[in-house]
Every structure is written in structure tokens, then in C-alpha cells.
Amino acid sequence: MTKDVAVRFRVDFGSGCSIGIGKIELLEGISRSGALSGAARQMRMSYRRAWLLLADLNASFDQPVAQASTGGRGGGGVVLTPFGELLIAGYRKMEAGLQPLAETCFQQFSRRVNRAPAKTRGSKGT
């Protein structure tokens, strides 16, 4: 079976709270680097955008997903809370379950994808 099918999804918790691959990868980057700036750099994202995403996540739930520490001798940093770790684990567990289902459901279509770059829609082909 081909591995050309990739699943990307978002989970909505009511109308004002959602998580998707970007927020999850940001949290994973924070876990690896111990810093929001390091996670943002790894994702080629501005620090401001990363800060806004993290602030949104922290405000969306009844407990924070990450906590910042102020500078000092070793400098400041950000660490995930146990809740943040559980959020990542839940997302990745769902992703692992969806991937084989997507491969099964879309295998016939994956074989039919044109491998050459598609022409831009609306162009007057030459």
C-alpha cells in the first residue's frame, strides 16, 4: 500500500477552541528546545506568531498547556505542563488511528494522482 496519503486534521472543542498540527508541532518544539523562541525558529515562524498561538492555547483550556519562567542566571524558558503533554499525546494517538483509515479509504485515488505539477487553474495553457 502506498504511503502517499497524509492526514492533516483539526480538532474543535466548541466554537472558540481548536488544535491542529501547527499548535501541536509548536508544543513539541517547546518540549524539545525548552524555549518558545527555539520552537518558533525550528518551525520558521515568527516569535510573535508563536507567542499568540501559545497564548491562545493557554486561554482556551481551564489549565495551561505550557508555563513560562522569567530570565535569570540561566535565562527564561517555557516548559509544557502535564496537561500540555496529554494534549499532544491525544492528538498523536488520533493521528495514528486516522492514518491507516485514510490509506484504506483513499488508496484507489492515491494511485490516480498526476505526479507532474498541476497547471495553475484559470491559465490559458500553451
Side-chain angles (χ1 to χ4, degrees), residues 5-122:
V5 175
V7 175
R8 294 180 61 93
F9 64 95
R10 182 178 84 180
V11 179
D12 294 325
F13 301 94
S15 63
C17 175
S18 65
I19 58 165
I21 190 64
K23 288 178 181 175
I24 293 299
E25 287 179 351
L26 179 64
L27 292 178
E28 290 172 333
I30 290 169
S31 180
R32 282 189 304 272
S33 69
L36 184 58
S37 60
R41 248 188 323 276
Q42 288 172 0
M43 294 181 72
R44 294 187 173 118
M45 175 186 297
S46 74
Y47 178 83
R48 176 171 166 68
R49 176 80 175 134
W51 187 87
L52 290 171
L53 288 173
L54 184 59
D56 179 61
L57 279 168
N58 277 336
S60 293
F61 296 100
D62 64 356
Q63 53 187 298
V65 298
Q67 293 180 321
S69 61
T70 56
R73 187 176 181 137
V78 178
V79 294
L80 295 186
T81 63
F83 181 74
E85 295 283 356
L86 286 173
L87 188 61
I88 292 170
Y91 185 91
R92 291 302 187 186
K93 183 177 181 180
M94 184 172 173
E95 180 181 53
L98 286 175
Q99 186 63 40
L101 179 61
E103 289 170 4
T104 299
C105 293
F106 294 100
Q107 149 185 13
Q108 66 180 330
F109 303 105
S110 181
R111 288 190 303 258
R112 299 181 71 117
V113 172
N114 291 328
R115 300 299 175 203
K119 290 184 180 182
T120 306
R121 193 174 270 165

